[in-house]
Amino acid sequence: MALFGTNGVRGIANEDINPELAVNLARSLGTYMGSKGTVAIGCDTRISGQMLKSAAIAGALSTGLNVIDVGPVPTPSIQYYVRDFADAGIVITASHNPREYNGIKLIAGDGSEFPRDGEKEIEKIYYSGEFSTVSWEKTGNFKTDPGVNEYYLRSIIKAVNAESIRSRRFKVVADTGCGAGSLTLPFLLRELGCEVLTLGAQPDGTFPWRNPEPTPEALTELSELVKMTGADMGAAHDGDADRIVFMDENGKFINEEILLAMMAKYMLENEKGPIVTPVSSSQRMADIAKDAGVELHWTAVGSINVARKMMEVNAVFGGEGNGGLIFPKHQYCRDGAMACAKILEILAGGKKLSELTESVPEYFNAKTKVPSIDTQTTMERVEFEASELGLKIETIDGIKIRYEDGWVLVRPSGTEPIFRIFAEAKKQGRAEELMQEGLKIVKKAEKASISK
Ligand code: MG
């Protein structure tokens, strides 16, 4: 069984993700690191966070690793800290998952997400049960560092034009959903001279205010409050605050693909260089890269793929269409608070958020999903069927079929026996049409692979 999914190890707390797993995963990491070095360990605001963090600390110390307990932190905050002060990191978080979940995610020494091949090695050690255990006098040193979030916020303030933001005295409503961003976002906004109103800003792992996933449906009060108070914008994090979404001054939710494109456009106005995004992202990114005369690199889905490619090509910006934006001058990982500071920097230029969202090209989407008995076999057949039809295909992740006026992406889900079909075009009707084309190909491929 694969231990690591797309985003670390996830499951129901104290059932799938229990102290034993946390101890042994930390022991596996220590074994992998040759019992040498320092690991920073933190958690989000989930109820089981302290329990799992304590177990991970014990496991790491037993292998001889030194441990810095960084307390409750947003994921990008511990990532920034690891880059500067540790050789690896462990963060106990289930990101946007519902309240009963928890998870464990590893961080590489440079602060980026742990590489897949490293995870594979650690998985091997984990299942072998052969952990390094040092003698009594060599168990690791332990200390705490309560200044991690402060350090992270200082660095963000330095990375933007804080003076111009402060001069505008923006009014911002922040909905941190009782998650880890409650510890950072309201204070960042204060430091940037904003008038700050908060919703769900008490750290609370029962998530009494809303689900950790910041969907438009979960943010109706945020929208209302923005309108009611005449705020310049609203901002909302997911549970571990690596992602962020925004409402414009009219309380309108900004589609994350538009957010991504808008930010790419702004970053390229200030510095020319390659940009990076997954194949699932909007064609808006390609239009913006073309207008700026820079290269766009498409990657497989997953923020780690985006971040690694960004390092490789020395990109100026990258991100996903889910509110996960990466600013390489700050760090190579999704960073919600950094994205918020950047949005304020853009607003300080004088335009309203609604005007900025209108400045990116318009596209329409359609999506559906379809069950599959054997996604792998069907996938091979999808490629065959598409090339039989003489279609222009890309196989970076799933199959992306490009047409003159749009595209459709067919991808097997990583966790369920289904295919996801996602289409985009300049007109809504055409997007629906392309989605149907994709669906037809998958159905045909599924039939052929069953009868084989
Ligand atoms: Mg997250």
Side-chain angles (χ1 to χ4, degrees), residues 124-199:
K124 238 186 259 170
I125 298 167
Y126 178 89
Y127 285 117
S128 77
E130 287 168 22
F131 309 118
S132 305
T133 303
V134 296
S135 58
W136 65 271
E137 78 282 15
K138 293 203 174 86
T139 54
N141 294 320
F142 174 80
K143 66 171 186 177
T144 58
D145 190 340
V148 178
N149 291 331
E150 180 76 21
Y151 183 71
Y152 166 65
L153 292 184
R154 293 274 144 256
S155 79
I156 292 176
I157 291 163
K158 268 191 244 150
V160 294
N161 190 342
E163 277 323 301
S164 87
I165 298 171
R166 284 184 186 124
S167 73
R168 297 294 308 277
R169 301 283 305 155
F170 290 116
K171 188 190 274 189
V172 181
V173 190
D175 181 340
T176 49
C178 303
S182 309
L183 304 161
T184 45
L185 189 63
F187 305 101
L188 173 70
L189 293 168
R190 182 191 68 190
E191 291 296 309
L192 290 172
C194 301
E195 191 181 329
V196 190
L197 290 96
T198 55
L199 287 167

Side-chain angles (χ1 to χ4, degrees), residues 95-96 238 240 242-243:
S95 187
H96 60 276
D238 74 331
D240 66 331
D242 58 344
R243 294 192 288 127

Side-chain angles (χ1 to χ4, degrees), residues 359-380:
S359 71
V360 298
E362 200 175 26
Y363 280 94
F364 296 90
N365 297 100
K367 64 178 174 181
T368 187
K369 53 189 176 183
V370 57
S372 169
I373 292 167
D374 179 354
T375 50
Q376 208 181 331
T377 315
T378 302
M379 195 63 224
E380 286 161 20

Side-chain angles (χ1 to χ4, degrees), residues 105-396:
K105 192 168 166 165
L106 303 180
I107 302 163
D110 63 1
S112 67
E113 290 176 65
F114 217 75
R116 291 272 180 257
D117 52 346
E119 281 184 348
K120 287 252 154 59
E121 286 297 312
I122 286 168
E123 202 168 284
K124 238 186 259 170
I125 298 167
Y126 178 89
Y127 285 117
S128 77
E130 287 168 22
F131 309 118
S132 305
T133 303
V134 296
S135 58
W136 65 271
E137 78 282 15
K138 293 203 174 86
T139 54
N141 294 320
F142 174 80
K143 66 171 186 177
T144 58
D145 190 340
V148 178
N149 291 331
E150 180 76 21
Y151 183 71
Y152 166 65
L153 292 184
R154 293 274 144 256
S155 79
I156 292 176
I157 291 163
K158 268 191 244 150
V160 294
N161 190 342
E163 277 323 301
S164 87
I165 298 171
R166 284 184 186 124
S167 73
R168 297 294 308 277
R169 301 283 305 155
F170 290 116
K171 188 190 274 189
V172 181
V173 190
D175 181 340
T176 49
C178 303
S182 309
L183 304 161
T184 45
L185 189 63
F187 305 101
L188 173 70
L189 293 168
R190 182 191 68 190
E191 291 296 309
L192 290 172
C194 301
E195 191 181 329
V196 190
L197 290 96
T198 55
L199 287 167
Q202 75 280 27
D204 184 343
T206 64
F207 296 104
W209 172 239
R210 64 164 168 89
N211 256 340
E213 173 76 344
T215 58
E217 300 73 42
L219 300 173
T220 49
E221 289 90 350
L222 174 62
S223 168
E224 284 304 315
L225 200 55
V226 167
K227 281 188 274 186
M228 210 191 293
T229 60
D232 296 286
M233 69 170 198
H237 277 307
D238 74 331
D240 66 331
D242 58 344
R243 294 192 288 127
I244 192 162
V245 297
F246 298 97
M247 302 266 174
D248 71 15
E249 75 282 3
N250 305 312
K252 186 173 170 230
F253 184 88
I254 298 173
N255 174 298
E256 294 98 324
E257 292 287 356
I258 292 174
L259 169 67
L260 175 68
M262 200 171 83
M263 189 60 85
K265 191 167 175 238
Y266 176 73
M267 296 301 283
L268 288 172
E269 276 164 16
N270 292 287
E271 190 186 1
K272 293 274 181 275
I275 57 172
V276 180
T277 203
V279 287
S280 52
S281 289
S282 167
Q283 192 64 16
R284 292 180 182 95
M285 289 293 274
D287 294 353
I288 281 160
K290 197 173 161 209
D291 284 349
V294 303
E295 209 173 333
L296 167 68
H297 296 267
W298 299 104
T299 69
V301 174
S303 57
I304 185 168
N305 300 314
V306 178
R308 298 273 153 198
K309 184 52 107 181
M310 287 176 69
M311 290 179 196
E312 190 189 312
V313 302
N314 202 12
V316 299
F317 175 70
E320 308 169 306
N322 62 2
L325 308 180
I326 306 175
F327 301 88
K329 286 228 168 104
H330 183 231
Q331 58 175 345
Y332 282 99
C333 67
R334 291 186 293 207
D335 195 328
M338 180 68 206
C340 188
K342 271 286 170 196
I343 287 283
L344 290 171
E345 188 182 273
I346 302 176
L347 289 183
K351 285 211 171 99
K352 288 189 186 318
L353 204 38
S354 62
E355 293 166 355
L356 289 161
T357 54
E358 283 158 17
S359 71
V360 298
E362 200 175 26
Y363 280 94
F364 296 90
N365 297 100
K367 64 178 174 181
T368 187
K369 53 189 176 183
V370 57
S372 169
I373 292 167
D374 179 354
T375 50
Q376 208 181 331
T377 315
T378 302
M379 195 63 224
E380 286 161 20
R381 192 73 198 183
V382 165
E383 192 172 348
F384 173 79
E385 296 290 346
S387 43
E388 278 290 280
L389 291 169
L391 297 168
K392 201 174 156 207
I393 59 168
E394 281 168 19
T395 55
I396 296 168

